[in-house]
């Protein structure tokens, strides 16, 4: 059988307009590309996990962010203890030469009461169950001595079961403070992002859509704001405001929208020349409706990406301000204040700085990954 | 081959001789901050103290072995029977570091310069409060004749006081009363402290180099009258603002000492004998309670706050450096006839640890049973790491022991101090270090109308006792009056006294012969590096 290359093709009106591939909605399309990127998915998982940690974590811990027990300060999550004269009891000597009694599982019981400190003999005595035990600091590291003056050598490494991630200098639970700190960071992230998105989008949208002299004036204002580093503005604004969460949010929201305004203006400038805007105008749509219902939704991709990229810098800014001492008021925990508290004791208790710093890193990574993934997913040029 | 052996031998000899030679008399010491000025007449900045006490010397100074007051530039002095006139005889042949003679005229010039408003001397009140005619001179209404500072000849200086102040000699040890050279000040204006050439001094050391923001280098001053006793050849004061960094530099051997180190490392450093030097300071850390504001105008409320604090736990677990619990303003250290001012003093109803029941009872008596109805307490502090820790611990103690709400706020020192002076606070971090070793440096803090009375406490009986003590010439009688004044005020709890501080610093054991005084000044005149 031969095929006539010039025969008429079968006419099928039903299939004429059909597409050769599966149509996906815009959102579905974005999700498809987003989910194909492992870093983006990792970032999103991390964000969700951290949100759960911050929101539900405090319900599960027996401590509060400002609950202090001064005698249990500066105890790390993992420590080496020596056996006490009593069975199943251990002594842990802190970096500040205090002696903590623990049980065999690593639960902290109490701080021993110091009786005397004989500097000449380099020996501190502590009361322990009616007898005296000694800490000899003439040797390095210091050694615990039993009531008869014999060194206590047997011992083991224990995980801190009372405070899973250890305590800070005032004996507050670091895990609990991390939860509250993360909560502050995430609150700042979402509130600052939302406020900046609203202000930036409207400002940029109006500027771009109206054009002409209005645009020139509005953009010069943005230029003036951005000539000075935003960090400087935020610090200056913060100094005059009350200390607290609202102060930081106001400080961040008042200047961080300039990037957003620029992006939206650029988008609006190109979109407003397109035919659908002309069409809308011809049927008498108001300018306000054109801006809000047509232009801004069409610029949503870049807006979302800018917003996601703004979140990490807002979080970092809050941590930075708290770190230099003008952020969240104590005793509230913020990752920045936790780092600040720990810096001085860096050599004695490094875990106090490491944990909040790690948390800041994780949050920054997570949001950057999500932002990156979103940018790629929203870019039509990368469509495969 | 022989050449090589010879070289090797030469190298060995060289190494050997270096190792065997006496240690270099050089010292590198870290300061926590650059002083705001190097002009002794102007600054009251404590960062300037280690520097100024070693390049200048006044009429009287401290013995570096036991800290007793000894003649400095003055060879001897007499005090008139009424205690008002001090006649100093200067040493013969005193010279400035540029070799020119130093005379009583230079002292007269220095006093007049302090009393010139343009100088903006920060310790002005130490002259105007005591010297006859000084306030009038400052206000422009006085004259050279009426001013109680006279230099009848090159070696005699006469000071006339308004009222007898037996402790004025100890005030004269302060650097404010070090002479400055008229020639260089007039030739260079404000800039005279900026260059080693124009910075003419009269102390055991002189400046070799000012390295802005980095260090100041001092070398021995050959023109100093006691130059034979000065052993150090060179002192470098390096500015290391971060105490952790300073500690690292110390442990790495880059510096020989430091004024600051992290309190967390105190126990470890002391245990390892790393060179912690400690001296009881004549200084008290307290919190101002606004006596003029309700509900803090009620002594019972102030008593409750005082009772709610566990001072021992604060010292042991929070500040972690040596200190003594304080129940009233004046700490130990002032001794007359072998009796310390604080000996036999009562605790004013307070205890070293918190007295929770007592505190709650006092608060209930004041009308706030179980803390009910008590407004949120505003606890303010100025940005500082140690103070922040103390404030957080205090807040928790108030909340737990008194069942009241506490809100913490902080500001930078300049803003903070303005607010305190304006009475714009409730409970606020403060402290006072003695300017001179006498209780009178503390007592005006609670005197009605005194510029340093920031708590608004006013008790006419107290004011009268303080004035009486100021003019009492017999030290034993004066001490009795001051004790009475102190206990009178302490029973009304105008302040929240926490602890009497100690000064600490790091200094290697090889540095000997120095004197570390109650105000934290380091006198290096006779210091040397031992083998």
């Amino acid at each position: 059988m031969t095929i006539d290359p010039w025969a008429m093709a079968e006419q099928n009106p039903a299939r004429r307009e059909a597409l050769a591939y599966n149509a996906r909605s815009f959102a579905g399309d974005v999700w498809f590309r987003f989910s194909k990127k492992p870093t983006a998915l990792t970032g999103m998982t991390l964000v969700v996990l951290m949100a759960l940690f911050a929101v539900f974590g405090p319900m599960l811990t027996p401590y509060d962010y400002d609950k202090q027990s001064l005698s249990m300060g500066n105890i790390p999550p993992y420590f080496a203890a020596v056996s006490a004269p009593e069975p199943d009891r251990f002594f842990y000597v802190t970096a500040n030469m205090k002696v903590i009694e623990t049980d065999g599982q690593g639960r902290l019981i109490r701080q021993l009461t110091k009786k005397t400190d004989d500097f000449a003999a380099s020996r501190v005595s502590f009361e322990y169950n009616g007898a005296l035990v000694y800490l000899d600091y003439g040797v390095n590291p210091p050694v615990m001595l039993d009531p008869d003056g014999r060194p206590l050598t047997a011992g083991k490494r224990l995980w801190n079961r009372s405070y899973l991630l250890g305590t800070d200098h005032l004996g507050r639970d670091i895990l609990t403070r991390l939860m509250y700190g993360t909560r502050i960071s995430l609150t700042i992230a979402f509130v600052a992002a939302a406020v900046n998105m609203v202000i930036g989008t409207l400002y940029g949208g109006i500027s771009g859509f109206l054009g002409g002299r209005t645009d020139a004036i509005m953009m010069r204002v943005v230029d003036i704001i951005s000539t000075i580093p935003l960090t400087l503005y935020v610090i200056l604004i913060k100094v005059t405001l009350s200390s607290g969460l609202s102060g930081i949010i106001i400080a961040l929201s008042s200047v961080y929208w300039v990037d957003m305004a620029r992006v939206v203006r650029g988008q609006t400038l190109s979109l407003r020349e397109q035919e659908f805007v002309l069409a809308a105008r011809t049927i008498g749509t108001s300018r306000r409706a054109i801006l809000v219902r047509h232009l801004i939704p069409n610029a949503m991709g870049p807006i979302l990406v800018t917003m996601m990229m703004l979140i990490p810098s807002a979080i970092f800014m809050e941590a930075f301000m708290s770190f230099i001492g003008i952020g969240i008021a104590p005793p509230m925990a913020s990752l920045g204040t936790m780092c600040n508290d720990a810096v001085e004791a860096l050599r004695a208790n490094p875990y106090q700085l490491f944990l909040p710093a790690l948390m800041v890193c994780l949050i920054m990574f997570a949001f950057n990954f999500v932002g990156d993934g979103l940018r790629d997913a929203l870019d039509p040029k990368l469509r495969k | 081959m022989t050449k090589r052996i010879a070289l090797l031998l030469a190298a060995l000899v060289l190494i050997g001789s270096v190792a065997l030679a006496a240690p270099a008399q050089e010292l590198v010491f870290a300061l926590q901050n650059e002083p705001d000025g190097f002009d002794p007449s102007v600054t009251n900045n404590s960062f300037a103290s280690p520097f100024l006490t070693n390049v200048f010397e006044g009429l009287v100074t401290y013995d570096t072995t036991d800290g007793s007051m000894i003649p400095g530039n003055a060879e001897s002095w007499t005090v008139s029977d009424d205690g008002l006139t001090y006649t100093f005889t200067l040493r013969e042949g005193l010279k400035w570091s540029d070799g020119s003679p130093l005379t009583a005229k230079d002292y007269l010039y220095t006093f007049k310069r302090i009393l010139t408003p343009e100088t903006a001397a920060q310790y002005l009140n130490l002259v105007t409060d005591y010297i006859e005619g000084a306030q009038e001179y400052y206000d422009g209404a006085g004259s050279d004749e009426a001013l109680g500072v006279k230099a009848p000849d090159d070696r005699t200086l006469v000071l006339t006081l308004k009222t007898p102040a037996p402790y004025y000699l100890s005030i004269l040890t302060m650097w404010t009363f070090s002479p400055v050279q008229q020639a260089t000040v007039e030739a260079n204006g404000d800039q005279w402290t900026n260059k080693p050439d124009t910075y003419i001094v009269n102390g055991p050391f002189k400046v070799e180099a000012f390295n802005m923001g980095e260090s100041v280098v001092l070398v021995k001053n050959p023109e100093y009258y006691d130059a034979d006793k000065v052993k150090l050849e060179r002192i470098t004061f390096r500015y290391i603002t971060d105490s952790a960094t300073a500690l690292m530099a110390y442990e790495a051997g880059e510096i020989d000492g430091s004024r600051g180190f992290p309190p967390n490392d105190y126990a470890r450093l002391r245990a390892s004998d790393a060179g912690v030097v400690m001296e009881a300071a004549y200084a008290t850390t307290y919190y101002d309670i606004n006596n003029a504001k309700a509900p803090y105008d009620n002594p019972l409320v102030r008593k409750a706050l005082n009772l709610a604090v566990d001072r021992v736990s604060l010292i042991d677990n929070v500040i972690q450096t040596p200190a003594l619990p304080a129940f009233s303003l004046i700490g130990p250290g002032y001794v007359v006839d072998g009796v310390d001012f604080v000996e036999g003093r009562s605790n004013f109803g307070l205890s070293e640890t918190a007295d929770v029941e007592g505190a709650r009872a006092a608060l209930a008596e004041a009308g706030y049973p179980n803390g009910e109805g008590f407004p949120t307490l505003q606890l303010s502090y100025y940005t500082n790491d140690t103070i922040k820790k103390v404030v957080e611990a205090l807040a928790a103690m108030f909340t737990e022991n008194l069942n009241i709400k506490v809100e913490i706020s902080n500001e930078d020192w300049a803003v903070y101090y303005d607010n305190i002076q304006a009475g714009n606070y409730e409970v606020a971090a403060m402290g006072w270090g003695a300017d001179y070793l006498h209780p009178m440096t503390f007592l005006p803090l609670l005197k009605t109308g005194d510029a340093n009375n920031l708590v608004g406490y006013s008790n006419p009986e107290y004011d009268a006792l303080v004035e009486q003590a100021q003019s009492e010439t017999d030290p034993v009688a004066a001490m009795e009056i001051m004790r009475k004044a102190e206990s009178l005020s302490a029973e009304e709890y105008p302040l929240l006294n926490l602890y009497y501080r100690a000064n600490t610093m790091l200094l290697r054991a090889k540095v000997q012969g120095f004197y570390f005084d109650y105000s934290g000044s380091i006198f290096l005149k006779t210091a040397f590096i031992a083998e």
Side-chain angles (χ1 to χ4, degrees):
Chain A
M1 190 184 123
T2 57
I3 295 167
D4 177 5
W6 304 105
M8 288 286 279
E10 186 192 341
Q11 298 272 332
N12 186 342
R15 286 192 58 201
R16 188 178 294 148
E17 293 285 308
L19 296 170
Y21 55 90
N22 286 335
R24 277 196 301 252
S25 68
F26 178 66
D29 201 35
V30 167
W31 172 245
F32 174 76
R33 270 174 281 145
F34 186 85
S35 60
K36 283 282 174 279
K37 217 173 144 79
T39 51
L41 273 189
T42 316
M44 205 172 72
T45 321
L46 267 177
V47 170
V48 171
L49 285 180
M50 279 182 302
L52 292 176
F53 176 70
V55 176
F56 299 106
M59 297 173 193
L60 304 175
T61 127
Y63 305 103
D64 207 353
Y65 65 87
D66 61 350
K67 174 84 186 97
Q68 303 176 359
S69 68
L70 293 179
S71 59
M72 292 292 174
N74 293 324
I75 300 183
Y78 184 60
F79 52 80
V82 292
S83 309
E86 305 272 317
D88 198 40
R89 287 288 181 271
F90 291 83
F91 291 141
Y92 165 64
V93 183
T94 69
N96 315 72
M97 300 221 301
K98 293 183 187 110
V99 179
I100 309 288
E101 186 190 6
T102 75
D103 70 7
Q105 272 79 51
R107 287 188 200 89
L108 310 182
I109 299 168
R110 67 195 162 107
Q111 188 192 98
L112 298 192
T113 319
K114 194 199 264 186
K115 288 306 243 190
T116 57
D117 185 352
D118 183 355
F119 193 60
S122 317
R123 189 177 280 202
V124 192
S125 65
F126 297 91
E127 159 124 49
Y128 183 63
N129 294 353
L132 288 179
V133 290
Y134 304 94
L135 177 67
D136 179 3
Y137 56 80
V139 288
N140 196 17
V143 173
M144 285 300 294
L145 309 175
D146 70 5
D148 304 321
R150 285 186 301 262
L152 294 164
T153 45
K156 62 175 179 179
R157 298 194 149 261
L158 293 169
W159 287 99
N160 189 338
R161 290 282 290 275
S162 299
Y163 303 93
L164 294 180
L165 292 182
T167 56
D168 71 357
H169 57 282
L170 294 173
R172 296 176 294 202
D173 183 34
I174 289 189
L175 179 64
T176 310
R177 286 178 68 76
L178 273 183
M179 290 167 184
Y180 281 91
T182 311
R183 183 185 274 194
I184 297 257
S185 287
L186 293 181
T187 314
I188 297 273
F190 290 115
V191 177
V195 173
N196 286 319
M197 186 171 126
V198 173
I199 301 179
T201 308
L202 285 179
Y203 193 95
I206 293 170
S207 172
F209 183 58
L210 294 180
R213 183 169 292 180
T214 322
D215 179 42
I217 293 171
M218 288 176 85
M219 278 302 118
R220 290 307 78 75
V221 172
V222 168
D223 287 346
I224 290 166
I225 293 178
S226 37
T227 44
I228 299 174
L230 296 187
T231 315
L232 202 60
Y233 279 116
V234 173
I235 291 174
L236 287 176
I237 294 171
K238 184 67 192 58
V239 167
T240 57
L241 293 173
S242 65
S243 51
L245 195 56
S246 54
I248 293 181
I249 290 177
I250 294 173
L252 279 177
S253 314
S254 47
V255 286
Y256 260 63
W257 50 266
V258 292
D259 286 343
M260 178 68 86
R262 282 219 172 110
V263 168
V264 177
R265 170 184 173 263
Q267 289 291 316
T268 329
L269 273 184
S270 70
L271 285 173
R272 70 167 186 176
E273 302 302 331
Q274 296 197 3
E275 284 80 359
F276 70 90
V277 178
L278 192 62
R281 275 207 183 131
T282 27
I283 57 170
T285 316
S286 73
R287 294 215 286 189
R288 183 200 161 104
I290 291 177
L291 181 63
V292 178
R293 305 228 349 238
H294 298 286
L295 293 181
I296 291 177
N298 272 293
M300 217 33 152
I303 290 177
L304 277 179
V305 172
T306 314
M307 191 185 82
M308 287 310 287
M309 291 301 185
L310 191 140
I311 287 179
S313 66
I315 291 177
F316 192 75
M317 196 63 217
E318 182 276 322
F320 172 70
M321 282 196 291
S322 299
F323 183 76
I324 62 171
I326 56 169
I328 298 284
M332 193 30 146
S334 139
L335 297 175
T337 49
M338 289 177 74
C339 288
N340 184 18
D341 289 344
V343 161
E344 203 192 40
L346 177 59
R347 289 170 70 82
N349 307 301
Y351 67 95
Q352 290 179 3
L353 179 63
F354 178 74
L355 293 168
L358 178 73
M359 202 68 200
V360 175
C361 287
L362 283 180
I363 296 181
M364 301 273 291
F365 264 123
F367 278 101
N368 271 317
F369 280 155
V370 173
D372 219 33
L374 208 58
R375 187 187 57 210
D376 291 353
L378 284 165
D379 190 348
K381 290 191 196 98
L382 289 176
R383 198 168 193 164
K384 284 178 199 130
Chain B
M1 194 62 187
T2 17
K3 234 180 198 173
R4 261 196 208 166
I5 291 172
L7 266 175
L8 202 74
L9 275 175
L12 276 175
V13 168
L14 212 74
I15 292 167
S17 65
V18 169
L20 291 175
Q25 294 299 321
E26 296 186 356
L27 177 70
V28 184
F29 195 85
L31 301 182
Q32 278 170 293
N33 214 333
E34 185 159 14
D36 66 351
F38 292 106
D39 189 331
S41 303
V42 176
T43 187
N44 69 357
N45 193 287
S46 62
F47 298 117
S49 111
F51 174 82
L52 292 176
T53 50
N54 290 303
V55 296
F56 283 100
E57 187 174 292
L59 295 162
V60 279
T61 183
Y62 290 110
D63 187 329
T64 49
T65 50
D66 62 359
S68 60
M69 216 181 301
I70 54 165
N73 273 191
E75 186 178 67
S76 61
W77 58 84
T78 54
V79 185
S80 65
D81 291 341
D82 59 4
L84 289 175
T85 312
Y86 288 66
T87 309
F88 293 91
T89 308
L90 298 192
R91 285 174 197 272
E92 212 175 325
L94 285 175
K95 283 197 178 119
W96 290 104
S97 57
D98 64 351
S100 59
L102 190 165
T103 67
K105 302 270 183 312
D106 290 298
Y107 274 95
L108 180 61
Y109 169 73
T110 305
F111 274 98
K112 287 186 178 167
R113 181 166 177 259
I114 293 172
L115 292 171
T116 309
E118 288 75 43
T119 311
Q122 291 163 348
Y123 269 137
L124 175 72
N125 65 327
L126 292 177
V127 180
T128 53
D129 287 359
Y130 293 98
I131 304 269
E132 180 72 35
Q135 186 65 49
E136 294 76 8
Y137 190 93
Y138 179 78
D139 295 337
S143 63
D144 287 359
E145 289 73 47
L147 180 64
V149 185
K150 296 275 188 313
D153 64 60
D154 276 358
R155 284 185 56 204
T156 312
L157 185 76
V158 182
L159 299 182
T160 314
L161 305 190
K162 284 182 196 169
T163 50
Y167 48 92
Y168 201 65
L169 270 183
S170 50
I171 297 182
L172 287 177
T173 60
M174 294 173 63
W175 66 71
T176 313
F177 299 96
S178 304
V180 295
Q181 198 197 39
Q182 183 166 8
T184 184
V185 175
E186 284 181 353
N188 303 294
D190 286 352
Q191 308 296 312
W192 79 279
T193 59
N194 291 358
K195 282 201 299 263
D197 297 347
T198 58
Y199 195 59
I200 311 292
V201 298
N202 74 330
F205 298 95
K206 62 178 184 177
V207 174
E208 186 185 55
F210 283 114
N211 304 314
M212 275 280 257
E214 189 196 319
S215 63
V216 177
V217 184
L218 309 185
V219 289
K220 188 173 164 176
N221 175 7
E223 304 289 351
Y224 180 59
Y225 67 86
D226 226 2
D228 298 350
K229 291 198 184 132
V230 180
K231 296 182 187 120
L232 285 181
E233 294 294 335
R234 185 187 302 270
I235 305 170
T236 308
F237 285 115
R238 268 180 65 182
Y239 310 128
I240 305 183
T241 44
D242 184 51
S243 60
T245 314
L247 176 60
M248 241 177 269
Y250 182 78
E251 294 194 318
E254 281 173 39
I255 56 175
D256 301 311
S258 166
R259 259 323 300 276
F261 58 88
N264 267 302
D265 292 276
Y266 170 74
R268 175 176 69 83
L269 289 169
R270 209 193 72 154
S272 60
D273 224 351
V276 179
V277 180
M278 189 184 85
E279 183 66 39
Y282 203 39
T284 311
T285 293
Y286 55 85
Y287 277 59
D288 277 342
I289 306 177
N290 194 341
N291 285 232
K293 187 175 180 188
Y296 307 99
D297 51 356
N298 185 343
L300 283 167
V301 170
R302 304 197 294 258
K303 184 181 182 185
L305 293 181
N306 265 289
L307 284 167
V309 175
D310 184 343
R311 290 170 173 82
V312 170
S313 190
L314 269 186
I315 294 168
D316 282 355
N317 296 318
V318 183
I319 63 165
Q320 296 178 5
T321 44
L324 292 170
F327 307 120
S328 59
L329 184 57
I330 301 172
Y334 177 68
V335 181
V336 174
D337 278 355
V339 181
D340 196 292
F341 183 87
V342 303
E343 244 175 77
R345 185 170 62 181
S346 101
N347 279 351
F348 307 106
L350 304 177
S351 58
E352 293 191 343
T353 50
D355 174 2
V356 181
E357 276 129 57
R360 291 201 172 196
L363 200 61
E365 204 184 325
Y368 306 99
N370 200 20
E372 278 160 34
F374 197 84
T376 301
L377 187 149
Q378 299 290 333
L379 189 57
S380 2
Y381 73 102
Y382 55 93
T383 310
N384 172 302
D385 286 344
T386 307
I387 293 183
K388 182 180 168 206
K389 291 181 201 166
V390 174
V391 161
E392 287 186 68
L394 274 184
M397 288 176 190
F398 291 150
T399 315
E400 263 174 49
N401 298 346
L402 296 175
N403 196 26
I404 58 175
K405 281 206 183 70
V406 180
E407 209 172 273
I408 300 175
S409 66
N410 89 305
E411 282 134 4
D412 252 14
W413 173 255
V415 183
Y416 177 80
Y417 198 63
D418 282 349
N419 278 333
I420 304 283
Q421 282 179 314
N424 203 355
Y425 72 96
E426 290 182 357
V427 179
M430 197 47 72
W432 191 263
D435 288 326
Y436 45 93
L437 192 58
H438 193 278
M440 197 46 80
T441 187
F442 290 102
L443 290 172
L445 295 177
L446 293 171
K447 196 171 164 229
T448 313
D450 192 279
N452 287 317
N453 179 352
L454 303 173
V455 293
Y457 174 77
S458 175
N459 183 338
E461 211 179 324
Y462 177 85
D463 300 346
L465 283 170
V466 173
E467 273 162 31
Q468 196 188 337
Q470 270 168 337
S471 51
E472 175 59 61
T473 48
D474 175 26
V476 179
M479 181 137 118
E480 258 334 292
I481 301 167
M482 291 187 292
R483 278 183 167 175
K484 231 200 272 180
E486 198 209 15
S487 44
L488 187 73
S489 62
E491 273 153 19
E492 298 188 297
Y493 310 100
L495 303 167
L496 173 58
N497 293 296
L498 293 185
Y499 49 85
Y500 305 122
R501 290 200 288 268
N503 288 319
T504 49
M505 67 168 176
L506 283 173
L507 194 62
R508 291 195 198 288
K510 64 176 183 179
V511 185
Q512 293 173 4
F514 64 93
Y515 173 59
F516 188 37
D517 84 349
Y518 62 88
S519 66
S521 297
I522 306 154
F523 293 80
L524 294 167
K525 177 178 157 181
T526 56
F528 61 94
I529 312 286
E531 307 255 334

